[in-house]
Amino acid sequence: QVQLVESGGGSVQAGGSLRLSCEVSGATYYSRWCMGWFRQASGKEREGVARISAGGGSSVYADSVKGRFTISRDNAKKTLYLQMNSLKPEDTAMYYCAASVSCVSGLGSWGYNYWGQGTQVTVSS
């Protein structure tokens, strides 16, 4: 059974940094999957934040986080990361990691097969 568990969320002031982690278990073929980070703010729809290819050599970012967030992965540890710098109050949301077996959807949530439970990020001004 595939499980994704996020950690690293918390409360920070604007301009601060956080590093989110997502540990994957039960996934024999993790290194073949694309991985993504999504977020959902209160009262808003879930949006794609960043996505990384299976080998880690290619990544895509939402315009709102480009230049501030960095997605990375360690396939040996089956762990996904999201380094978030220069955080803004509008980054406040529940952050989810997700796994895509087919790697077809980029930042679209429809193409992801497995999801974590989320970790809350709160940025105060």
Side-chain angles (χ1 to χ4, degrees):
Q1 180 177 353
V2 177
Q3 288 190 316
L4 285 68
V5 179
E6 302 95 336
S7 62
S11 297
V12 296
Q13 290 191 325
S17 298
L18 283 173
R19 189 193 196 202
L20 306 184
S21 298
C22 172
E23 295 186 20
V24 181
S25 61
T28 303
Y29 300 108
Y30 169 78
S31 63
R32 300 183 187 180
W33 298 351
C34 292
M35 298 294 295
W37 285 100
F38 294 78
R39 67 186 181 186
Q40 187 167 18
S42 180
K44 296 187 177 181
E45 293 199 354
R46 187 173 296 185
E47 64 170 342
V49 173
R51 178 262 205 186
I52 191 167
S53 61
S58 174
S59 56
V60 178
Y61 296 91
D63 289 342
S64 58
V65 306
K66 208 170 288 185
R68 299 188 297 122
F69 291 11
T70 303
I71 188 171
S72 62
R73 65 190 295 166
D74 184 331
N75 283 348
K77 295 181 178 180
K78 295 186 179 179
T79 302
L80 178 73
Y81 304 99
L82 185 68
Q83 178 67 44
M84 306 186 295
N85 299 327
S86 302
L87 282 161
K88 304 176 180 179
E90 51 264 44
D91 294 318
T92 295
M94 184 71 78
Y95 283 71
Y96 301 89
C97 65
S100 174
V101 174
S102 62
C103 295
V104 296
S105 65
L107 294 178
S109 61
W110 57 269
Y112 288 77
N113 310 93
Y114 304 103
W115 292 82
Q117 293 299 307
T119 185
Q120 178 68 37
V121 171
T122 302
V123 184
S124 58
S125 58

